[in-house]
Amino acid sequence: MKTTGTPQMTILRSGKSFKVLQVTGSEGMSMPDHFSTKEAVLMIQIGSATLKIKGEEHLLTKHHSFIIPAAEHHTLVLKENFQAIVIMEVDSEIKFVNS
């Protein structure tokens, strides 16, 4: 079932240098224009999504990973039920552009 809204982000672990977040959502959800203040690694566990970054679209599916550069604006649109892990430095923040 296609839904609207934004995926949920939950911090799973936090250490001295890095934190691990889980991103979950349903088909049709999207994360509007946002960026991370430091580099982040996105690893897809379930489902698929389209990542729009630097004027290009990347289809991300199960077992894909993507390194998102610091301060690079991007969006994520879920194509089906979705779960991913994001690893970033502890002091890194995700900031939404229009909020």
Side-chain angles (χ1 to χ4, degrees):
M1 172 191 285
K2 197 169 188 173
T3 27
T4 58
T6 57
Q8 180 177 357
M9 287 188 291
T10 307
I11 296 176
L12 297 178
R13 301 276 187 275
S14 190
K16 291 181 182 179
S17 300
F18 297 98
K19 60 185 170 186
V20 179
L21 291 82
Q22 184 175 58
V23 179
T24 56
S26 303
E27 176 186 357
M29 289 183 162
S30 63
M31 290 185 73
D33 197 11
H34 64 285
F35 64 94
S36 175
T37 56
K38 296 195 176 181
E39 189 173 72
V41 179
L42 174 66
M43 297 177 293
I44 313 308
Q45 296 178 305
I46 296 170
S48 64
T50 301
L51 175 72
K52 294 180 185 179
I53 188 169
K54 295 183 180 182
E56 297 178 0
E57 290 189 7
H58 301 271
L59 179 61
L60 305 178
T61 58
K62 185 176 179 179
H63 302 300
H64 275 118
S65 60
F66 198 95
I67 298 174
I68 300 172
E72 192 68 52
H73 291 217
H74 57 282
T75 61
L76 188 72
V77 177
L78 309 187
K79 298 293 194 182
E80 56 188 313
N81 290 345
F82 182 82
Q83 181 175 304
I85 294 292
V86 178
I87 299 173
M88 59 178 55
E89 291 184 46
V90 169
D91 61 348
S92 181
E93 297 178 38
I94 295 173
K95 298 193 177 215
F96 289 89
V97 176
N98 294 320
S99 40

